[in-house]
Amino acid sequence: AASLLESSGPPPPDFVYTSPLRRAIQTSLLAFSPPPRLAGPSANPPSAPPFVCSPLLTEAALGPADCASAPAALASAYPSVDFTSYSADCHAALSSFPSPPPTLESTKPDLIKRGDEFLRHLSATHGGGGGAAAVVAVSSHSQWLQGFAAGCLGVEEGGGEEYWRWWGTAEVRAFDVEFLGAR
């Protein structure tokens, strides 16, 4: 992803939001941290955008692979990520799952609710004031991105069942979101 950003020329993100799952954190750091400079000590390396962990970007805990690590463990492993919004209470809610686990379909309303909360957060944090638009990168999971695109942004490529076949794992999607009244 980092080489794609460099070669195609879109602006680097001003902020990177990530799910608290290790695989999402690792992906965001690999994709959006500045590459090391090989030009010697005189080269000015670009600064990294702020990385923020948000529990709003999680899928449903359908099994052990979907459970996030404790905030203190993640903060120790990834010191460049801000975990202040990922509290021990959030972790407790995200690291337990009923037996038997819910179906993925039954978790979509909650996923869409978290996506709407995330949009409200983005609008309040980056959408107002008439300043320059912020470029925000999100590192999450395919089901979260699907629910966010369809349920929160109204994007349905092909519609219906075709929409869900449009997605696969390890997807990269770009959305241009402008908040009404923000400019």
mmCIF file of all heavy atoms in Angstrom, residues 120-144:
data_model
loop_
_atom_site.group_PDB
_atom_site.id
_atom_site.type_symbol
_atom_site.label_atom_id
_atom_site.label_comp_id
_atom_site.label_asym_id
_atom_site.label_seq_id
_atom_site.Cartn_x
_atom_site.Cartn_y
_atom_site.Cartn_z
ATOM 1 N N ARG A 120 -19.775 10.684 12.616
ATOM 2 C CA ARG A 120 -20.009 11.857 13.483
ATOM 3 C C ARG A 120 -18.700 12.340 14.099
ATOM 4 O O ARG A 120 -18.445 13.544 14.181
ATOM 5 C CB ARG A 120 -21.045 11.540 14.557
ATOM 6 C CG ARG A 120 -22.469 11.513 14.027
ATOM 7 C CD ARG A 120 -23.513 11.491 15.142
ATOM 8 N NE ARG A 120 -23.471 10.289 15.937
ATOM 9 C CZ ARG A 120 -24.054 9.136 15.615
ATOM 10 N NH1 ARG A 120 -24.718 9.030 14.475
ATOM 11 N NH2 ARG A 120 -23.965 8.094 16.410
ATOM 12 N N HIS A 121 -17.861 11.401 14.518
ATOM 13 C CA HIS A 121 -16.551 11.770 15.068
ATOM 14 C C HIS A 121 -15.717 12.495 14.011
ATOM 15 O O HIS A 121 -15.114 13.538 14.297
ATOM 16 C CB HIS A 121 -15.807 10.534 15.578
ATOM 17 C CG HIS A 121 -14.367 10.807 15.881
ATOM 18 N ND1 HIS A 121 -13.971 11.436 17.037
ATOM 19 C CD2 HIS A 121 -13.236 10.576 15.162
ATOM 20 C CE1 HIS A 121 -12.656 11.577 17.022
ATOM 21 N NE2 HIS A 121 -12.190 11.060 15.888
ATOM 22 N N LEU A 122 -15.673 11.943 12.798
ATOM 23 C CA LEU A 122 -14.905 12.593 11.728
ATOM 24 C C LEU A 122 -15.439 13.989 11.434
ATOM 25 O O LEU A 122 -14.667 14.933 11.250
ATOM 26 C CB LEU A 122 -14.941 11.755 10.449
ATOM 27 C CG LEU A 122 -14.141 10.467 10.433
ATOM 28 C CD1 LEU A 122 -14.295 9.784 9.083
ATOM 29 C CD2 LEU A 122 -12.678 10.716 10.740
ATOM 30 N N SER A 123 -16.753 14.130 11.376
ATOM 31 C CA SER A 123 -17.351 15.437 11.105
ATOM 32 C C SER A 123 -16.978 16.437 12.196
ATOM 33 O O SER A 123 -16.596 17.570 11.907
ATOM 34 C CB SER A 123 -18.871 15.298 10.997
ATOM 35 O OG SER A 123 -19.461 16.566 10.800
ATOM 36 N N ALA A 124 -17.080 16.017 13.454
ATOM 37 C CA ALA A 124 -16.765 16.920 14.565
ATOM 38 C C ALA A 124 -15.278 17.236 14.635
ATOM 39 O O ALA A 124 -14.891 18.353 14.975
ATOM 40 C CB ALA A 124 -17.222 16.284 15.877
ATOM 41 N N THR A 125 -14.437 16.272 14.296
ATOM 42 C CA THR A 125 -12.996 16.437 14.439
ATOM 43 C C THR A 125 -12.335 17.045 13.208
ATOM 44 O O THR A 125 -11.439 17.868 13.320
ATOM 45 C CB THR A 125 -12.337 15.070 14.734
ATOM 46 O OG1 THR A 125 -13.016 14.468 15.826
ATOM 47 C CG2 THR A 125 -10.879 15.214 15.062
ATOM 48 N N HIS A 126 -12.788 16.666 12.020
ATOM 49 C CA HIS A 126 -12.094 17.053 10.792
ATOM 50 C C HIS A 126 -12.984 17.745 9.766
ATOM 51 O O HIS A 126 -12.489 18.165 8.726
ATOM 52 C CB HIS A 126 -11.485 15.819 10.110
ATOM 53 C CG HIS A 126 -10.645 14.986 11.018
ATOM 54 N ND1 HIS A 126 -9.449 15.414 11.533
ATOM 55 C CD2 HIS A 126 -10.850 13.748 11.531
ATOM 56 C CE1 HIS A 126 -8.949 14.479 12.311
ATOM 57 N NE2 HIS A 126 -9.777 13.455 12.327
ATOM 58 N N GLY A 127 -14.278 17.857 10.016
ATOM 59 C CA GLY A 127 -15.186 18.311 8.972
ATOM 60 C C GLY A 127 -15.615 19.756 9.033
ATOM 61 O O GLY A 127 -16.221 20.247 8.107
ATOM 62 N N GLY A 128 -15.352 20.451 10.094
ATOM 63 C CA GLY A 128 -15.884 21.806 10.228
ATOM 64 C C GLY A 128 -14.817 22.870 10.153
ATOM 65 O O GLY A 128 -13.650 22.612 9.922
ATOM 66 N N GLY A 129 -15.240 24.079 10.334
ATOM 67 C CA GLY A 129 -14.328 25.196 10.438
ATOM 68 C C GLY A 129 -13.911 25.830 9.132
ATOM 69 O O GLY A 129 -13.231 26.834 9.136
ATOM 70 N N GLY A 130 -14.279 25.274 8.001
ATOM 71 C CA GLY A 130 -13.962 25.885 6.722
ATOM 72 C C GLY A 130 -12.501 25.799 6.338
ATOM 73 O O GLY A 130 -12.082 26.426 5.384
ATOM 74 N N GLY A 131 -11.692 25.034 7.077
ATOM 75 C CA GLY A 131 -10.283 24.889 6.732
ATOM 76 C C GLY A 131 -10.095 23.890 5.613
ATOM 77 O O GLY A 131 -11.039 23.429 4.981
ATOM 78 N N ALA A 132 -8.848 23.558 5.383
ATOM 79 C CA ALA A 132 -8.527 22.583 4.342
ATOM 80 C C ALA A 132 -9.105 21.224 4.705
ATOM 81 O O ALA A 132 -9.204 20.864 5.872
ATOM 82 C CB ALA A 132 -7.009 22.486 4.182
ATOM 83 N N ALA A 133 -9.479 20.493 3.705
ATOM 84 C CA ALA A 133 -10.018 19.156 3.915
ATOM 85 C C ALA A 133 -8.929 18.248 4.466
ATOM 86 O O ALA A 133 -7.763 18.362 4.107
ATOM 87 C CB ALA A 133 -10.557 18.588 2.608
ATOM 88 N N ALA A 134 -9.309 17.350 5.362
ATOM 89 C CA ALA A 134 -8.362 16.387 5.915
ATOM 90 C C ALA A 134 -8.428 15.097 5.107
ATOM 91 O O ALA A 134 -9.503 14.660 4.702
ATOM 92 C CB ALA A 134 -8.695 16.110 7.379
ATOM 93 N N VAL A 135 -7.276 14.519 4.871
ATOM 94 C CA VAL A 135 -7.198 13.211 4.248
ATOM 95 C C VAL A 135 -7.068 12.211 5.395
ATOM 96 O O VAL A 135 -6.125 12.281 6.184
ATOM 97 C CB VAL A 135 -5.989 13.101 3.298
ATOM 98 C CG1 VAL A 135 -5.857 11.692 2.739
ATOM 99 C CG2 VAL A 135 -6.105 14.127 2.184
ATOM 100 N N VAL A 136 -8.059 11.332 5.504
ATOM 101 C CA VAL A 136 -8.112 10.376 6.600
ATOM 102 C C VAL A 136 -8.024 8.967 6.038
ATOM 103 O O VAL A 136 -8.767 8.616 5.123
ATOM 104 C CB VAL A 136 -9.423 10.540 7.405
ATOM 105 C CG1 VAL A 136 -9.541 9.482 8.489
ATOM 106 C CG2 VAL A 136 -9.509 11.943 8.006
ATOM 107 N N ALA A 137 -7.114 8.175 6.575
ATOM 108 C CA ALA A 137 -7.003 6.759 6.205
ATOM 109 C C ALA A 137 -7.602 5.932 7.332
ATOM 110 O O ALA A 137 -7.468 6.279 8.501
ATOM 111 C CB ALA A 137 -5.551 6.380 5.986
ATOM 112 N N VAL A 138 -8.276 4.849 6.957
ATOM 113 C CA VAL A 138 -8.885 3.947 7.934
ATOM 114 C C VAL A 138 -8.364 2.543 7.667
ATOM 115 O O VAL A 138 -8.411 2.060 6.538
ATOM 116 C CB VAL A 138 -10.427 3.961 7.821
ATOM 117 C CG1 VAL A 138 -11.043 2.917 8.730
ATOM 118 C CG2 VAL A 138 -10.969 5.346 8.134
ATOM 119 N N SER A 139 -7.871 1.894 8.711
ATOM 120 C CA SER A 139 -7.434 0.510 8.616
ATOM 121 C C SER A 139 -8.368 -0.322 9.479
ATOM 122 O O SER A 139 -8.368 -0.209 10.696
ATOM 123 C CB SER A 139 -5.988 0.367 9.094
ATOM 124 O OG SER A 139 -5.562 -0.977 8.997
ATOM 125 N N SER A 140 -9.197 -1.111 8.804
ATOM 126 C CA SER A 140 -10.161 -1.931 9.528
ATOM 127 C C SER A 140 -10.251 -3.289 8.853
ATOM 128 O O SER A 140 -9.265 -3.784 8.310
ATOM 129 C CB SER A 140 -11.522 -1.228 9.584
ATOM 130 O OG SER A 140 -12.397 -1.921 10.440
ATOM 131 N N HIS A 141 -11.435 -3.861 8.817
ATOM 132 C CA HIS A 141 -11.650 -5.212 8.324
ATOM 133 C C HIS A 141 -12.686 -5.160 7.221
ATOM 134 O O HIS A 141 -13.509 -4.252 7.163
ATOM 135 C CB HIS A 141 -12.124 -6.107 9.467
ATOM 136 C CG HIS A 141 -11.457 -5.745 10.759
ATOM 137 N ND1 HIS A 141 -10.182 -6.131 11.055
ATOM 138 C CD2 HIS A 141 -11.862 -4.967 11.790
ATOM 139 C CE1 HIS A 141 -9.831 -5.631 12.232
ATOM 140 N NE2 HIS A 141 -10.837 -4.921 12.690
ATOM 141 N N SER A 142 -12.688 -6.167 6.357
ATOM 142 C CA SER A 142 -13.565 -6.122 5.186
ATOM 143 C C SER A 142 -15.034 -5.990 5.567
ATOM 144 O O SER A 142 -15.762 -5.227 4.933
ATOM 145 C CB SER A 142 -13.343 -7.342 4.289
ATOM 146 O OG SER A 142 -13.677 -8.534 4.972
ATOM 147 N N GLN A 143 -15.491 -6.683 6.599
ATOM 148 C CA GLN A 143 -16.903 -6.576 6.971
ATOM 149 C C GLN A 143 -17.240 -5.181 7.486
ATOM 150 O O GLN A 143 -18.306 -4.648 7.226
ATOM 151 C CB GLN A 143 -17.277 -7.632 8.023
ATOM 152 C CG GLN A 143 -17.277 -9.036 7.474
ATOM 153 C CD GLN A 143 -18.334 -9.248 6.407
ATOM 154 O OE1 GLN A 143 -19.448 -8.757 6.515
ATOM 155 N NE2 GLN A 143 -17.984 -9.965 5.364
ATOM 156 N N TRP A 144 -16.317 -4.560 8.235
ATOM 157 C CA TRP A 144 -16.568 -3.199 8.704
ATOM 158 C C TRP A 144 -16.649 -2.252 7.510
ATOM 159 O O TRP A 144 -17.552 -1.427 7.421
ATOM 160 C CB TRP A 144 -15.478 -2.735 9.681
ATOM 161 C CG TRP A 144 -15.831 -1.416 10.300
ATOM 162 C CD1 TRP A 144 -16.519 -1.218 11.463
ATOM 163 C CD2 TRP A 144 -15.571 -0.100 9.775
ATOM 164 N NE1 TRP A 144 -16.691 0.129 11.687
ATOM 165 C CE2 TRP A 144 -16.113 0.835 10.668
ATOM 166 C CE3 TRP A 144 -14.930 0.368 8.640
ATOM 167 C CZ2 TRP A 144 -16.031 2.213 10.467
ATOM 168 C CZ3 TRP A 144 -14.847 1.733 8.433
ATOM 169 C CH2 TRP A 144 -15.394 2.639 9.343
#
